[in-house]
Amino acid sequence: MPLDQSSSRRRFLGILGLAGLVTAWRTPRARLAAQAPAAAPTPTAQWWPSRWGAGDQAGASNWITPEKVLDSAKLIRDGKVYRLGRVYEAGMPLFGTRSFSLTIPGGPTGGPFGANKLVYHDEFVVSEIGQIGTQFDGLGHIGCVVGKDGDKTEMRYYNGFTEAEIGDANGLVKLGVEKIKPIFTRGILVDVAGVKGRMMNMGEEISVADVQAALQRQGIAESSIQPGDGVFFNTGWGSLWMKDNAKFNEGAPGVGLAVARWCVAKQLALIGTDHWATDVVPNPDPDLAFIAHHELITKNGILNHENLDFTALINDRVSEFVYVFAPLRFKGATGSPGRPIAIV
Amino acid sequence: MPLDQSSSRRRFLGILGLAGLVTAWRTPRARLAAQAPAAAPTPTAQWWPSRWGAGDQAGASNWITPEKVLDSAKLIRDGKVYRLGRVYEAGMPLFGTRSFSLTIPGGPTGGPFGANKLVYHDEFVVSEIGQIGTQFDGLGHIGCVVGKDGDKTEMRYYNGFTEAEIGDANGLVKLGVEKIKPIFTRGILVDVAGVKGRMMNMGEEISVADVQAALQRQGIAESSIQPGDGVFFNTGWGSLWMKDNAKFNEGAPGVGLAVARWCVAKQLALIGTDHWATDVVPNPDPDLAFIAHHELITKNGILNHENLDFTALINDRVSEFVYVFAPLRFKGATGSPGRPIAIV
Amino acid sequence: MPLDQSSSRRRFLGILGLAGLVTAWRTPRARLAAQAPAAAPTPTAQWWPSRWGAGDQAGASNWITPEKVLDSAKLIRDGKVYRLGRVYEAGMPLFGTRSFSLTIPGGPTGGPFGANKLVYHDEFVVSEIGQIGTQFDGLGHIGCVVGKDGDKTEMRYYNGFTEAEIGDANGLVKLGVEKIKPIFTRGILVDVAGVKGRMMNMGEEISVADVQAALQRQGIAESSIQPGDGVFFNTGWGSLWMKDNAKFNEGAPGVGLAVARWCVAKQLALIGTDHWATDVVPNPDPDLAFIAHHELITKNGILNHENLDFTALINDRVSEFVYVFAPLRFKGATGSPGRPIAIV
Amino acid sequence: MPLDQSSSRRRFLGILGLAGLVTAWRTPRARLAAQAPAAAPTPTAQWWPSRWGAGDQAGASNWITPEKVLDSAKLIRDGKVYRLGRVYEAGMPLFGTRSFSLTIPGGPTGGPFGANKLVYHDEFVVSEIGQIGTQFDGLGHIGCVVGKDGDKTEMRYYNGFTEAEIGDANGLVKLGVEKIKPIFTRGILVDVAGVKGRMMNMGEEISVADVQAALQRQGIAESSIQPGDGVFFNTGWGSLWMKDNAKFNEGAPGVGLAVARWCVAKQLALIGTDHWATDVVPNPDPDLAFIAHHELITKNGILNHENLDFTALINDRVSEFVYVFAPLRFKGATGSPGRPIAIV
């Protein structure tokens, strides 16, 4: 097939694919059969065993050694703590069919007990707990099909684990988020919206040059980035949070394959962004679906924190900090909610 | 009424009350009407406004100032991180009718998407999320009836807020755990089981002398305890976790009124224990139900972290550390799950 | 205070009240304190004990005696079964903060087992199960405050039960829907939209004359209505279901105090409508909130089935049928989902 | 391989398989990889297309025609209604990791509204709603692997639908229980425990002779059984419900391949039993796992109602009745809760 035909066909399929992608995540959960485009999968070298050995389930959180913690702690000079996470609440933007419900059983839940007449409240939460709001992606969240569609022995995850090995109705058997080590590391904010002077647009991919320009503007030497650091990209898209949820969910500016590979080359522990996708959605290359997730999580075990809020850091012109986040150890979960903080 | 009669009646009622208490928490959620003992409530002085002013909702997390953070950070000398929390999993001990369910919708949940054939998993969690496993009590968790039973305007919480003011089917309107500041403070382990050379018994109350003996054995001067510190009591009861859940849930050794008042006098930010109750259950004084919760949370806004695991700290003879915990900001929640860490 | 002033003030408050009402049901669950208008409660005579005796919890389902069943069964002449209920599905209109989630854990959920390699699916449902979609109101669903706001001993339900007596975090202790008897009775459709030749409007109240005109048009003698019958009102509003959910939820035409009293006088077992409210919303009298619910359920124990679909009955010009519905016996539930049928 | 070796190996594997089966259903949901016995699947002829045509999703509920309804209605002679279902409540026996939670958000949930000061309760239910308590199995509940383990295109269900075709994280795409027609048919009770004079034992299979003896004792001619009838087997095991849940869940007497085939030959619409399994568990043939489910549901589209309670029917010596059950139309659900009734 001549290249142009192939390219045109791939573009056509890609557009369909991306349209289907956003639709699928927003309405009923995506089904196996229908969404797969006919195009052959991007040829990829086998990505396992991982840098940390066959069987490793902690991925890039392995970078967080005592030396790294000690080194990072030196960044605490003011004692000021910044909240990087959003409040989890009814009405926050949720993707696809994900839901969030918090109720208080009873009013109060129980009591009075004792002569002191104690009463108490519980809360009851129902949600895709690791994949809502400020969400931290574990290593079992993202994989890809490397062979026949529908065959669980040919769906692969980080370190080569297959769906047949990790999947279970009651929680992932391998690669659960409880395997991730607590993260206390140097964080670097890359304010791409700042260097551009505007909120980035839906579908606008951050380039490596953008990253470098932002670092330069903020006075951070690219060469100072060390293995195990966390890099956080501000696109401005997060300003839509609870302001225009429909637009917020429709797509996003973000990381594509080039910046993902830059992150891999830097040997980061994790990255983060100010929106739900981290990836640019839709990707300018219509064949690619959430390719940054794919490159970072599946192939390299690099973690990903979404829906962060960098406003206070930016207001205080803070570009370097200790990032602290210890993912909840929900056994077999794909991700974690939580309240990441930055300390300077 | 002669004192002895009154005392005997109170004791009798108290025993009933406590039996009812444990039963109530283990079977259907406690109802308002039935469990209230006939005894008058312990007379208590009005405890509001709080030390941090009328309307304050952050309680003792207000101690965590930049100065406190800076001071605590000096304890980071080795870069070693200890996990103080339990894994959240099916089969863990749960109190009363609380439940925990984690499922993975689909297998995988969605995909494949794109030519890269990305697939993904979500998890779906249903639980009294802030009151299961390693659980951090927020300020809306515990209150008491100060007037007529059943009247929401006479149930009072921290800083004097009433049930009528804070209660709501969709999350507490005031005193939600999202109001608590991230905690990064000096932590001190008080290994009561260590000084006694044994696991404490159900219903055995920690005395102030026990605390002092443990501190002395561990080489910590009581006078070194500062406002805003966290003190963590090891009773040994946590060794029953996932080993003998039935016994674990039946009661606990723990903190009573005397040690609670000692904590208040020390102006702590929080306390923690190795089991579900923090309080001694049943309290040796049968009139008192969860009186440490009452004294610490309701009256003084001091926070409480339950089901911690101090094993690694004890093995390494670590008694002083930075305790790091940023409660999840679930709007209107009564508590928070999470993964507290200790750093030295 | 002169009458006109009072009236004007009441009207003003009522409008606020109704605006607040719809808002409250659509956003966070309504709180106790804020929504109560300042107006005094409508004076009402004590409505208990009920016709069926003090302590009765079955209400008007008591009309369904063997004689009533035998008599109704005579209406089965063709063996044709009509489905009166809606499909429960993602995307259906839900009121207020109510939610509906159905997931399939795993894919499949379990197996293979045995040499026959059996596999299986479960579904996992999370919802206000008795108050979504085609919903049948039990007797614990609706009550009213008869004294001081916030006092559970002064909130009254069917047969005079108080909130203090029936409320519990784990299900109603009294008046749970499991107490309702299976219903197999004569059903009569009153096609108000049919007689008007149009869908009724939001806030348009069905008058007794409307009911009589519809009955006459359909050839049903009003005098033929017997105690224990069910009467079902078609307003046309149900045609918006899954077509225009926003409009559907915004309000409804429906039953007000006059038709509710007509139903009481007829000693019906239940009524039903083609939308979520049964009541006219907003009520033309701005002081009245869900007054048909109040009159029928709370005061008279008459049951209420919402979100029914009469299309097939109307297409076949069926006005009289056996209505069959056996509410699920979820202990302590306020209502029931289900699949009511009509048989002719 | 000589027959005896093969037979012995199959028996050995079968025993392992069955042990694993009960364990798997009682602890974490069964995983794909581990439980599969090495034995080849029982060779089975292709069972599709179904009697009702390729693509049919209603199975044996298709027997319920107007003629069948009219014919069945003749059995209503006394107007007496029997409740065949259990109450759904905390503490009821649940299989495997299935759960049931019912809470009441708030106390009450909302209000007061209007000058009439209306208040209301909702309930919030979380459960494998179609597979708990009195549970009706839909056609998507049970399938089997016909080819390679883990391949969704080789897992087959009723009418030959594959996992790839029906599976979805948000509800089955085909064979959801909403496709089943309301059932109003002749029911026949077969009181096997009655004819044996005792509760049957765990693992005791009902024989065809047992069925015939029971019918004879009850005065029902076997030849009177017609296509579309429902046959209900009383084993006595249901008497353990809420009395000895542990024993109840451990296994059951019940239907094996012989009686399942008898039911197929009779062209029944459905069967039912007084316990959770319908099948005999463990099956005396250790190779067979839930083979009655397999034979009835997967191959023949015959429906199955579990955890019925025949006590009142037996007390009144009622063997023949109208069985009425309209499964809830939860889109994509695998089964349905509900309140089946018998009318005579």
Side-chain angles (χ1 to χ4, degrees), chain B residues 29 31 104 106 148 150-153 165 168-170 173, chain C residues 29 31 104 106 148 150-153 165 168-170 173:
Chain B
R29 271 199 190 76
R31 285 182 56 228
I104 305 287
K148 180 188 171 195
D151 188 338
K152 294 182 179 194
T153 66
E165 288 169 323
D168 188 288
N170 284 93
V173 174
Chain C
R29 270 198 191 76
R31 286 183 55 228
I104 305 287
K148 180 188 172 196
D151 188 338
K152 295 184 178 192
T153 66
E165 289 169 322
D168 187 288
N170 284 95
V173 174

PDB file of all heavy atoms in Angstrom, chain B residues 29 31 104 106 148 150-153 165 168-170 173, chain C residues 29 31 104 106 148 150-153 165 168-170 173:
ATOM      1  N   ARG B  29     -25.929  -0.687  63.027  1.00  0.00           N
ATOM      2  CA  ARG B  29     -25.467   0.590  63.551  1.00  0.00           C
ATOM      3  C   ARG B  29     -26.347   1.031  64.693  1.00  0.00           C
ATOM      4  O   ARG B  29     -27.556   0.854  64.671  1.00  0.00           O
ATOM      5  CB  ARG B  29     -25.483   1.658  62.452  1.00  0.00           C
ATOM      6  CG  ARG B  29     -24.212   1.711  61.682  1.00  0.00           C
ATOM      7  CD  ARG B  29     -24.066   3.031  60.951  1.00  0.00           C
ATOM      8  NE  ARG B  29     -22.937   2.929  60.032  1.00  0.00           N
ATOM      9  CZ  ARG B  29     -22.946   2.285  58.890  1.00  0.00           C
ATOM     10  NH1 ARG B  29     -24.013   1.648  58.485  1.00  0.00           N
ATOM     11  NH2 ARG B  29     -21.864   2.259  58.132  1.00  0.00           N
ATOM     12  N   ARG B  31     -28.624   2.657  67.292  1.00  0.00           N
ATOM     13  CA  ARG B  31     -29.751   3.559  67.167  1.00  0.00           C
ATOM     14  C   ARG B  31     -29.759   4.590  68.268  1.00  0.00           C
ATOM     15  O   ARG B  31     -29.206   4.385  69.345  1.00  0.00           O
ATOM     16  CB  ARG B  31     -31.057   2.789  67.203  1.00  0.00           C
ATOM     17  CG  ARG B  31     -31.300   2.057  65.907  1.00  0.00           C
ATOM     18  CD  ARG B  31     -32.616   1.360  65.986  1.00  0.00           C
ATOM     19  NE  ARG B  31     -33.659   2.319  66.301  1.00  0.00           N
ATOM     20  CZ  ARG B  31     -34.573   2.121  67.252  1.00  0.00           C
ATOM     21  NH1 ARG B  31     -34.559   1.033  67.953  1.00  0.00           N
ATOM     22  NH2 ARG B  31     -35.492   3.046  67.476  1.00  0.00           N
ATOM     23  N   ILE B 104     -12.779  -4.810  40.545  1.00  0.00           N
ATOM     24  CA  ILE B 104     -12.257  -4.278  39.281  1.00  0.00           C
ATOM     25  C   ILE B 104     -13.354  -4.464  38.248  1.00  0.00           C
ATOM     26  O   ILE B 104     -13.684  -5.593  37.889  1.00  0.00           O
ATOM     27  CB  ILE B 104     -10.984  -5.031  38.833  1.00  0.00           C
ATOM     28  CG1 ILE B 104      -9.915  -5.028  39.926  1.00  0.00           C
ATOM     29  CG2 ILE B 104     -10.462  -4.453  37.513  1.00  0.00           C
ATOM     30  CD1 ILE B 104      -9.206  -3.717  40.153  1.00  0.00           C
ATOM     31  N   GLY B 106     -14.900  -5.106  34.902  1.00  0.00           N
ATOM     32  CA  GLY B 106     -14.363  -5.652  33.659  1.00  0.00           C
ATOM     33  C   GLY B 106     -12.993  -6.259  33.865  1.00  0.00           C
ATOM     34  O   GLY B 106     -12.383  -6.156  34.936  1.00  0.00           O
ATOM     35  N   LYS B 148     -31.515  17.142  75.465  1.00  0.00           N
ATOM     36  CA  LYS B 148     -32.550  16.134  75.260  1.00  0.00           C
ATOM     37  C   LYS B 148     -32.139  15.139  74.165  1.00  0.00           C
ATOM     38  O   LYS B 148     -31.691  15.549  73.094  1.00  0.00           O
ATOM     39  CB  LYS B 148     -33.827  16.862  74.832  1.00  0.00           C
ATOM     40  CG  LYS B 148     -35.018  15.953  74.583  1.00  0.00           C
ATOM     41  CD  LYS B 148     -36.171  16.756  73.961  1.00  0.00           C
ATOM     42  CE  LYS B 148     -37.294  15.831  73.511  1.00  0.00           C
ATOM     43  NZ  LYS B 148     -38.229  16.505  72.614  1.00  0.00           N
ATOM     44  N   GLY B 150     -32.224  12.934  71.016  1.00  0.00           N
ATOM     45  CA  GLY B 150     -32.958  13.043  69.758  1.00  0.00           C
ATOM     46  C   GLY B 150     -33.024  14.448  69.198  1.00  0.00           C
ATOM     47  O   GLY B 150     -33.446  14.631  68.063  1.00  0.00           O
ATOM     48  N   ASP B 151     -32.599  15.404  69.962  1.00  0.00           N
ATOM     49  CA  ASP B 151     -32.678  16.787  69.477  1.00  0.00           C
ATOM     50  C   ASP B 151     -31.324  17.195  68.894  1.00  0.00           C
ATOM     51  O   ASP B 151     -30.329  17.313  69.609  1.00  0.00           O
ATOM     52  CB  ASP B 151     -33.072  17.710  70.640  1.00  0.00           C
ATOM     53  CG  ASP B 151     -33.367  19.134  70.151  1.00  0.00           C
ATOM     54  OD1 ASP B 151     -32.885  19.516  69.066  1.00  0.00           O
ATOM     55  OD2 ASP B 151     -34.082  19.852  70.873  1.00  0.00           O
ATOM     56  N   LYS B 152     -31.329  17.437  67.607  1.00  0.00           N
ATOM     57  CA  LYS B 152     -30.075  17.728  66.914  1.00  0.00           C
ATOM     58  C   LYS B 152     -29.464  19.063  67.313  1.00  0.00           C
ATOM     59  O   LYS B 152     -28.300  19.320  67.025  1.00  0.00           O
ATOM     60  CB  LYS B 152     -30.292  17.709  65.397  1.00  0.00           C
ATOM     61  CG  LYS B 152     -30.649  16.339  64.867  1.00  0.00           C
ATOM     62  CD  LYS B 152     -30.797  16.386  63.356  1.00  0.00           C
ATOM     63  CE  LYS B 152     -31.142  15.009  62.813  1.00  0.00           C
ATOM     64  NZ  LYS B 152     -30.975  14.956  61.347  1.00  0.00           N
ATOM     65  N   THR B 153     -30.261  19.903  67.922  1.00  0.00           N
ATOM     66  CA  THR B 153     -29.694  21.182  68.349  1.00  0.00           C
ATOM     67  C   THR B 153     -28.996  21.047  69.698  1.00  0.00           C
ATOM     68  O   THR B 153     -28.384  21.991  70.178  1.00  0.00           O
ATOM     69  CB  THR B 153     -30.784  22.269  68.448  1.00  0.00           C
ATOM     70  OG1 THR B 153     -31.685  21.930  69.509  1.00  0.00           O
ATOM     71  CG2 THR B 153     -31.539  22.403  67.143  1.00  0.00           C
ATOM     72  N   GLU B 165     -26.189  21.883  62.813  1.00  0.00           N
ATOM     73  CA  GLU B 165     -25.318  22.724  61.991  1.00  0.00           C
ATOM     74  C   GLU B 165     -24.411  21.921  61.062  1.00  0.00           C
ATOM     75  O   GLU B 165     -24.078  22.363  59.971  1.00  0.00           O
ATOM     76  CB  GLU B 165     -24.433  23.606  62.889  1.00  0.00           C
ATOM     77  CG  GLU B 165     -25.188  24.726  63.588  1.00  0.00           C
ATOM     78  CD  GLU B 165     -24.335  25.395  64.666  1.00  0.00           C
ATOM     79  OE1 GLU B 165     -23.567  24.680  65.355  1.00  0.00           O
ATOM     80  OE2 GLU B 165     -24.460  26.610  64.821  1.00  0.00           O
ATOM     81  N   ASP B 168     -25.549  16.321  57.536  1.00  0.00           N
ATOM     82  CA  ASP B 168     -26.158  16.358  56.209  1.00  0.00           C
ATOM     83  C   ASP B 168     -25.983  14.980  55.584  1.00  0.00           C
ATOM     84  O   ASP B 168     -24.932  14.347  55.741  1.00  0.00           O
ATOM     85  CB  ASP B 168     -25.472  17.414  55.332  1.00  0.00           C
ATOM     86  CG  ASP B 168     -26.186  17.611  54.019  1.00  0.00           C
ATOM     87  OD1 ASP B 168     -26.098  16.698  53.170  1.00  0.00           O
ATOM     88  OD2 ASP B 168     -26.836  18.643  53.831  1.00  0.00           O
ATOM     89  N   ALA B 169     -26.995  14.549  54.877  1.00  0.00           N
ATOM     90  CA  ALA B 169     -26.935  13.222  54.269  1.00  0.00           C
ATOM     91  C   ALA B 169     -25.776  13.069  53.297  1.00  0.00           C
ATOM     92  O   ALA B 169     -25.283  11.972  53.080  1.00  0.00           O
ATOM     93  CB  ALA B 169     -28.257  12.931  53.554  1.00  0.00           C
ATOM     94  N   ASN B 170     -25.315  14.163  52.708  1.00  0.00           N
ATOM     95  CA  ASN B 170     -24.259  14.091  51.693  1.00  0.00           C
ATOM     96  C   ASN B 170     -22.899  14.568  52.166  1.00  0.00           C
ATOM     97  O   ASN B 170     -22.066  14.967  51.343  1.00  0.00           O
ATOM     98  CB  ASN B 170     -24.662  14.900  50.461  1.00  0.00           C
ATOM     99  CG  ASN B 170     -25.685  14.181  49.638  1.00  0.00           C
ATOM    100  OD1 ASN B 170     -26.875  14.380  49.806  1.00  0.00           O
ATOM    101  ND2 ASN B 170     -25.220  13.280  48.788  1.00  0.00           N
ATOM    102  N   VAL B 173     -21.399  19.345  56.858  1.00  0.00           N
ATOM    103  CA  VAL B 173     -21.353  20.716  56.352  1.00  0.00           C
ATOM    104  C   VAL B 173     -20.243  21.504  57.047  1.00  0.00           C
ATOM    105  O   VAL B 173     -19.665  22.431  56.470  1.00  0.00           O
ATOM    106  CB  VAL B 173     -22.732  21.376  56.565  1.00  0.00           C
ATOM    107  CG1 VAL B 173     -22.693  22.838  56.196  1.00  0.00           C
ATOM    108  CG2 VAL B 173     -23.788  20.636  55.754  1.00  0.00           C
TER     109      VAL B 173
ATOM    110  N   ARG C  29     -27.930  16.755  49.177  1.00  0.00           N
ATOM    111  CA  ARG C  29     -29.156  16.385  49.878  1.00  0.00           C
ATOM    112  C   ARG C  29     -29.553  17.489  50.833  1.00  0.00           C
ATOM    113  O   ARG C  29     -28.725  18.118  51.455  1.00  0.00           O
ATOM    114  CB  ARG C  29     -28.956  15.092  50.655  1.00  0.00           C
ATOM    115  CG  ARG C  29     -29.292  13.884  49.840  1.00  0.00           C
ATOM    116  CD  ARG C  29     -29.501  12.687  50.718  1.00  0.00           C
ATOM    117  NE  ARG C  29     -29.573  11.468  49.894  1.00  0.00           N
ATOM    118  CZ  ARG C  29     -28.545  10.883  49.350  1.00  0.00           C
ATOM    119  NH1 ARG C  29     -27.333  11.348  49.538  1.00  0.00           N
ATOM    120  NH2 ARG C  29     -28.700   9.797  48.618  1.00  0.00           N
ATOM    121  N   ARG C  31     -30.563  19.819  53.655  1.00  0.00           N
ATOM    122  CA  ARG C  31     -30.190  19.860  55.059  1.00  0.00           C
ATOM    123  C   ARG C  31     -31.360  20.286  55.920  1.00  0.00           C
ATOM    124  O   ARG C  31     -32.283  20.930  55.473  1.00  0.00           O
ATOM    125  CB  ARG C  31     -29.042  20.826  55.270  1.00  0.00           C
ATOM    126  CG  ARG C  31     -27.732  20.272  54.766  1.00  0.00           C
ATOM    127  CD  ARG C  31     -26.636  21.240  55.079  1.00  0.00           C
ATOM    128  NE  ARG C  31     -26.634  21.521  56.503  1.00  0.00           N
ATOM    129  CZ  ARG C  31     -26.579  22.751  57.011  1.00  0.00           C
ATOM    130  NH1 ARG C  31     -26.553  23.777  56.210  1.00  0.00           N
ATOM    131  NH2 ARG C  31     -26.577  22.945  58.302  1.00  0.00           N
ATOM    132  N   ILE C 104     -19.763  -4.816  36.288  1.00  0.00           N
ATOM    133  CA  ILE C 104     -19.531  -6.266  36.295  1.00  0.00           C
ATOM    134  C   ILE C 104     -18.109  -6.477  36.805  1.00  0.00           C
ATOM    135  O   ILE C 104     -17.149  -6.084  36.117  1.00  0.00           O
ATOM    136  CB  ILE C 104     -19.665  -6.861  34.877  1.00  0.00           C
ATOM    137  CG1 ILE C 104     -21.026  -6.517  34.251  1.00  0.00           C
ATOM    138  CG2 ILE C 104     -19.419  -8.368  34.909  1.00  0.00           C
ATOM    139  CD1 ILE C 104     -22.211  -7.250  34.810  1.00  0.00           C
ATOM    140  N   GLY C 106     -14.722  -8.031  37.131  1.00  0.00           N
ATOM    141  CA  GLY C 106     -14.013  -8.999  36.292  1.00  0.00           C
ATOM    142  C   GLY C 106     -14.690  -9.193  34.956  1.00  0.00           C
ATOM    143  O   GLY C 106     -15.775  -8.667  34.694  1.00  0.00           O
ATOM    144  N   LYS C 148     -40.790  21.035  67.008  1.00  0.00           N
ATOM    145  CA  LYS C 148     -39.551  21.791  66.896  1.00  0.00           C
ATOM    146  C   LYS C 148     -38.646  21.195  65.816  1.00  0.00           C
ATOM    147  O   LYS C 148     -38.421  19.981  65.778  1.00  0.00           O
ATOM    148  CB  LYS C 148     -38.838  21.734  68.250  1.00  0.00           C
ATOM    149  CG  LYS C 148     -37.520  22.486  68.294  1.00  0.00           C
ATOM    150  CD  LYS C 148     -36.802  22.209  69.621  1.00  0.00           C
ATOM    151  CE  LYS C 148     -35.398  22.806  69.584  1.00  0.00           C
ATOM    152  NZ  LYS C 148     -34.561  22.243  70.653  1.00  0.00           N
ATOM    153  N   GLY C 150     -35.567  19.777  64.012  1.00  0.00           N
ATOM    154  CA  GLY C 150     -34.363  19.109  64.487  1.00  0.00           C
ATOM    155  C   GLY C 150     -34.616  18.092  65.579  1.00  0.00           C
ATOM    156  O   GLY C 150     -33.717  17.333  65.926  1.00  0.00           O
ATOM    157  N   ASP C 151     -35.825  18.039  66.093  1.00  0.00           N
ATOM    158  CA  ASP C 151     -36.118  17.102  67.179  1.00  0.00           C
ATOM    159  C   ASP C 151     -36.753  15.845  66.603  1.00  0.00           C
ATOM    160  O   ASP C 151     -37.873  15.884  66.093  1.00  0.00           O
ATOM    161  CB  ASP C 151     -37.043  17.773  68.192  1.00  0.00           C
ATOM    162  CG  ASP C 151     -37.218  16.925  69.449  1.00  0.00           C
ATOM    163  OD1 ASP C 151     -36.992  15.700  69.385  1.00  0.00           O
ATOM    164  OD2 ASP C 151     -37.586  17.501  70.480  1.00  0.00           O
ATOM    165  N   LYS C 152     -36.026  14.736  66.704  1.00  0.00           N
ATOM    166  CA  LYS C 152     -36.495  13.499  66.088  1.00  0.00           C
ATOM    167  C   LYS C 152     -37.745  12.937  66.741  1.00  0.00           C
ATOM    168  O   LYS C 152     -38.401  12.068  66.167  1.00  0.00           O
ATOM    169  CB  LYS C 152     -35.380  12.452  66.127  1.00  0.00           C
ATOM    170  CG  LYS C 152     -34.170  12.828  65.300  1.00  0.00           C
ATOM    171  CD  LYS C 152     -33.150  11.708  65.313  1.00  0.00           C
ATOM    172  CE  LYS C 152     -31.958  12.085  64.444  1.00  0.00           C
ATOM    173  NZ  LYS C 152     -31.088  10.906  64.215  1.00  0.00           N
ATOM    174  N   THR C 153     -38.052  13.405  67.912  1.00  0.00           N
ATOM    175  CA  THR C 153     -39.274  12.917  68.552  1.00  0.00           C
ATOM    176  C   THR C 153     -40.500  13.684  68.067  1.00  0.00           C
ATOM    177  O   THR C 153     -41.620  13.345  68.421  1.00  0.00           O
ATOM    178  CB  THR C 153     -39.182  13.037  70.090  1.00  0.00           C
ATOM    179  OG1 THR C 153     -39.133  14.431  70.443  1.00  0.00           O
ATOM    180  CG2 THR C 153     -37.939  12.345  70.618  1.00  0.00           C
ATOM    181  N   GLU C 165     -38.231   6.726  66.531  1.00  0.00           N
ATOM    182  CA  GLU C 165     -38.627   5.316  66.577  1.00  0.00           C
ATOM    183  C   GLU C 165     -38.212   4.544  65.330  1.00  0.00           C
ATOM    184  O   GLU C 165     -37.921   3.353  65.403  1.00  0.00           O
ATOM    185  CB  GLU C 165     -40.147   5.208  66.731  1.00  0.00           C
ATOM    186  CG  GLU C 165     -40.656   5.610  68.106  1.00  0.00           C
ATOM    187  CD  GLU C 165     -42.182   5.746  68.140  1.00  0.00           C
ATOM    188  OE1 GLU C 165     -42.780   6.231  67.143  1.00  0.00           O
ATOM    189  OE2 GLU C 165     -42.765   5.396  69.161  1.00  0.00           O
ATOM    190  N   ASP C 168     -32.650   4.828  61.587  1.00  0.00           N
ATOM    191  CA  ASP C 168     -31.452   4.073  61.931  1.00  0.00           C
ATOM    192  C   ASP C 168     -30.519   4.115  60.734  1.00  0.00           C
ATOM    193  O   ASP C 168     -30.964   4.020  59.584  1.00  0.00           O
ATOM    194  CB  ASP C 168     -31.806   2.617  62.256  1.00  0.00           C
ATOM    195  CG  ASP C 168     -30.615   1.855  62.791  1.00  0.00           C
ATOM    196  OD1 ASP C 168     -29.699   1.567  61.991  1.00  0.00           O
ATOM    197  OD2 ASP C 168     -30.584   1.548  63.989  1.00  0.00           O
ATOM    198  N   ALA C 169     -29.253   4.240  61.006  1.00  0.00           N
ATOM    199  CA  ALA C 169     -28.269   4.328  59.930  1.00  0.00           C
ATOM    200  C   ALA C 169     -28.288   3.107  59.022  1.00  0.00           C
ATOM    201  O   ALA C 169     -27.926   3.186  57.855  1.00  0.00           O
ATOM    202  CB  ALA C 169     -26.871   4.522  60.536  1.00  0.00           C
ATOM    203  N   ASN C 170     -28.713   1.952  59.542  1.00  0.00           N
ATOM    204  CA  ASN C 170     -28.680   0.715  58.755  1.00  0.00           C
ATOM    205  C   ASN C 170     -30.033   0.233  58.268  1.00  0.00           C
ATOM    206  O   ASN C 170     -30.218  -0.975  58.045  1.00  0.00           O
ATOM    207  CB  ASN C 170     -28.023  -0.401  59.578  1.00  0.00           C
ATOM    208  CG  ASN C 170     -26.525  -0.225  59.620  1.00  0.00           C
ATOM    209  OD1 ASN C 170     -26.001   0.363  60.554  1.00  0.00           O
ATOM    210  ND2 ASN C 170     -25.854  -0.673  58.571  1.00  0.00           N
ATOM    211  N   VAL C 173     -36.161   1.059  61.212  1.00  0.00           N
ATOM    212  CA  VAL C 173     -36.505   0.037  62.195  1.00  0.00           C
ATOM    213  C   VAL C 173     -37.995  -0.297  62.126  1.00  0.00           C
ATOM    214  O   VAL C 173     -38.418  -1.412  62.423  1.00  0.00           O
ATOM    215  CB  VAL C 173     -36.101   0.539  63.594  1.00  0.00           C
ATOM    216  CG1 VAL C 173     -36.560  -0.413  64.675  1.00  0.00           C
ATOM    217  CG2 VAL C 173     -34.595   0.745  63.652  1.00  0.00           C
TER     218      VAL C 173
END
